[in-house]
Amino acid sequence: MLALQKSTNQIMNSKILRISLIAALAGFLFGFDTVVISGAEKKLQLLWNSSEAFHGTVVIGMALFGTVIGAILGGIPTNKIGRKNTLIWIGILYSISAIGSAFANDPVTFGIFRFIGGLGVGASTVAAPAYISEIAPAKDRGRLVGLYQFMLVFGILVAFMSNYALSNVGENDWRWMVGVEAFPAVIYTLFVLTVPKSPRWLLTKNRTEEAKKILYSINPDLSLEELEAEIAYGEEGAAASESIFMKKYRFPLTLAFLIAFFNQFSGINAFLYYAPRIFEAAGLGESTALLSSIGIGITNLIFTLLGIFLIDRLGRKQLMYFGSIGYIISLSLVAAAFILNWESMAVPIFLFLFIASHAIGQGAVIWVFISEVFPNHLRGTGQAFGSSVHWVLAWLIPSSIPALFAWVGPGPVFGFFAFMMVLQLLFVMFMMPETKGITLEELGKKLSRSKNNID
């Protein structure tokens, strides 16, 4: 009997894993879409003879602006039409963007289609982590939500490899670079049609029978009555008209803001968008710069896997300690390398350390943490808030990089990012709670009361 129960649990766990992997494919498209432009952006600037400001704000920045809008508004469909249906529309947006960008003949049209893809990126950072966190058992939630980040960095690696492979296929190689994303986008859209809706979301919509059927199919160890009791406990005293901006939710709101704020002030997106340009500034040739970008993608993937392996063992806070210290060391070394004109290969080595620090720390933790700190009835809105902060900064910071590099040079810019990571370390030490192994309902209840209720 015990063996039969164990076998049943394994089957159900594999089902939850499969569902989580499919939802996490939104992260693959996020990573691919974000980085694929890095191989084409200098070619497009030369092709359209764009100024640094126009190139940064239109050709690069329109995708980021779309991501901001997608993140801000992503909580609306995530709550209204559900996590699953939102994920389907995300796949459609990615598909339209990839095809349209590939056939664009001017920077404005290109920017519009990149904006559409950005909407998908922003919405995916709301819907996918929220969906996975709601179907995952508490003990496995970090690893399962972490699959979104794994797929994200896998998408980054594939984009770097794709850019390198397509960099010499012809005069219009940039069209292939941005257009090839249509293939995984269509595949993802078809796959996500097969996943069930979130039982927790269904219960918030009073669709009890549908929730019961889905819950039994993916996690029979948790009865509907137990889940309803957990939700009732987590939302005890909560009103339907509540907002994340109420005083009682100030602490989780602050946590979501700060982890997103520091994520971008590490300089991670600025680096990913302009990796080949940064390597060329360090003295590497164009081909070597693209190849070094692949090394960055591999490093990111390996240390993300390590972070996912450790997140439910060591906890979110411990990984943030590792990442913060690694950030400070690596960014300081990168800044010194540019300021003191060290040999060119020093910069890629220090940036590999930077990527490793990001992957095991912020990269593994951010989307898990934001998906955990808000109660069920506010999770979509809270996830949208945290994602919005992340993407507003991810729009402003990379858009300013070409001008900043031309004005003060890479050294002072990376030095500033290193200083911001000292502040992140203080945030982790004195404010950030540990959330591993605690149910979403219990977290929502405790964090809305006081930061002192969790060690």
Side-chain angles (χ1 to χ4, degrees):
M1 185 69 182
L2 185 61
L4 179 61
Q5 180 66 35
K6 185 176 180 180
S7 175
T8 301
N9 288 341
Q10 288 174 340
I11 292 170
M12 293 307 166
N13 287 340
S14 67
K15 189 168 187 177
I16 291 176
L17 176 61
R18 179 185 64 81
I19 294 168
S20 300
L21 277 169
I22 291 173
L25 285 173
F28 175 89
L29 295 170
F30 165 9
F32 193 99
D33 189 85
T34 299
V35 169
V36 73
I37 191 66
S38 69
E41 57 96 6
K42 288 195 74 175
K43 299 173 189 288
L44 292 175
Q45 186 174 14
L46 290 172
L47 175 66
W48 290 320
N49 195 27
S50 305
S51 67
E52 295 284 7
F54 184 85
H55 180 67
T57 55
V58 178
V59 177
I60 300 294
M62 282 299 287
L64 292 165
F65 181 59
T67 301
V68 171
I69 302 301
I72 291 172
L73 301 180
I76 297 174
T78 299
N79 286 331
K80 295 291 186 183
I81 66 174
R83 284 62 161 143
K84 173 183 175 176
N85 289 334
T86 303
L87 291 173
I88 293 170
W89 277 105
I90 287 167
I92 294 171
L93 290 173
Y94 278 128
S95 302
I96 293 171
S97 172
I99 295 169
S101 299
F103 286 99
N105 290 313
D106 64 86
V108 174
T109 302
F110 183 84
I112 290 171
F113 280 109
R114 289 287 293 165
F115 173 84
I116 292 171
L119 293 175
V121 171
S124 81
T125 62
V126 178
Y131 175 80
I132 299 170
S133 72
E134 290 181 350
I135 67 167
K139 65 183 178 63
D140 298 321
R141 189 173 60 242
R143 287 192 292 271
L144 291 175
V145 179
L147 288 173
Y148 178 79
Q149 180 67 17
F150 169 76
M151 286 295 181
L152 190 160
V153 300
F154 183 53
I156 290 172
L157 173 59
V158 172
F160 279 139
M161 294 175 67
S162 174
N163 284 347
Y164 182 71
L166 296 172
S167 60
N168 294 308
V169 297
E171 183 180 352
N172 291 317
D173 55 1
W174 65 269
R175 295 188 187 275
W176 289 99
M177 288 181 183
V178 298
V180 74
E181 183 184 353
F183 295 104
V186 171
I187 292 170
Y188 158 77
T189 307
L190 295 174
F191 275 163
V192 84
L193 290 169
T194 69
V195 305
K197 293 179 174 138
S198 163
R200 280 183 165 89
W201 176 79
L202 288 170
L203 286 175
T204 65
K205 300 300 180 183
N206 297 315
R207 292 159 65 174
T208 306
E209 286 304 312
E210 193 176 351
K212 183 176 182 180
K213 183 178 179 181
I214 292 172
L215 185 63
Y216 179 77
S217 71
I218 64 173
N219 190 6
D221 292 337
L222 180 64
S223 70
L224 184 68
E225 291 73 20
E226 288 173 318
L227 182 58
E228 286 178 318
E230 287 180 2
I231 291 174
Y233 169 74
E235 298 181 3
E236 183 182 354
S241 60
E242 282 191 336
S243 162
I244 59 170
F245 298 104
M246 294 175 65
K247 185 177 180 180
K248 65 187 289 189
Y249 298 119
R250 184 174 298 167
F251 186 56
L253 192 74
T254 302
L255 292 174
F257 174 85
L258 286 176
I259 198 166
F261 175 88
F262 286 122
N263 183 283
Q264 284 306 300
F265 271 99
S266 70
I268 183 62
N269 268 41
F271 170 64
L272 291 176
Y273 274 101
Y274 297 103
R277 182 184 290 235
I278 292 169
F279 287 140
E280 286 185 51
L284 278 65
E286 180 181 355
S287 179
T288 306
L290 283 171
L291 194 57
S292 294
S293 299
I294 295 175
I296 289 293
I298 293 172
T299 303
N300 202 358
L301 186 69
I302 291 171
F303 281 88
T304 296
L305 279 171
L306 181 59
I308 292 171
F309 176 76
L310 294 174
I311 193 167
D312 284 323
R313 291 171 170 83
L314 299 182
R316 289 65 160 145
K317 189 164 183 171
Q318 191 66 46
L319 294 188
M320 287 292 288
Y321 274 123
F322 294 157
S324 298
I325 294 169
Y327 272 145
I328 294 166
I329 294 170
S330 59
L331 287 167
S332 298
L333 289 171
V334 171
F338 276 110
I339 292 170
L340 302 175
N341 295 316
W342 292 348
E343 292 183 7
S344 59
M345 283 310 296
V347 173
I349 292 170
F350 299 152
L351 286 171
F352 287 173
L353 176 59
F354 166 68
I355 287 293
S357 302
H358 173 79
I360 201 170
Q362 271 274 12
V365 172
I366 179 172
W367 304 119
V368 176
F369 189 73
I370 294 175
S371 73
E372 293 176 323
V373 296
F374 293 99
N376 287 313
H377 67 297
L378 296 174
R379 182 163 299 112
T381 308
Q383 189 84 29
F385 171 79
S387 297
S388 300
V389 173
H390 175 280
W391 287 114
V392 166
L393 294 173
W395 171 43
L396 293 175
I397 295 172
S399 295
S400 65
I401 286 297
L404 284 173
F405 277 11
W407 179 39
V408 298
V413 174
F414 283 107
F416 173 75
F417 290 147
F419 169 72
M420 295 304 294
M421 292 303 93
V422 174
L423 300 184
Q424 175 179 273
L425 181 59
L426 296 176
F427 158 70
V428 175
M429 291 173 66
F430 298 111
M431 279 192 68
M432 184 179 178
E434 182 53 71
T435 59
K436 73 166 183 172
I438 306 172
T439 66
L440 293 174
E441 288 71 28
E442 188 177 353
L443 277 172
K445 191 78 169 177
K446 289 184 176 181
L447 289 175
S448 65
R449 288 175 180 170
S450 167
K451 69 178 182 181
N452 297 319
N453 286 329
I454 294 183
D455 294 331

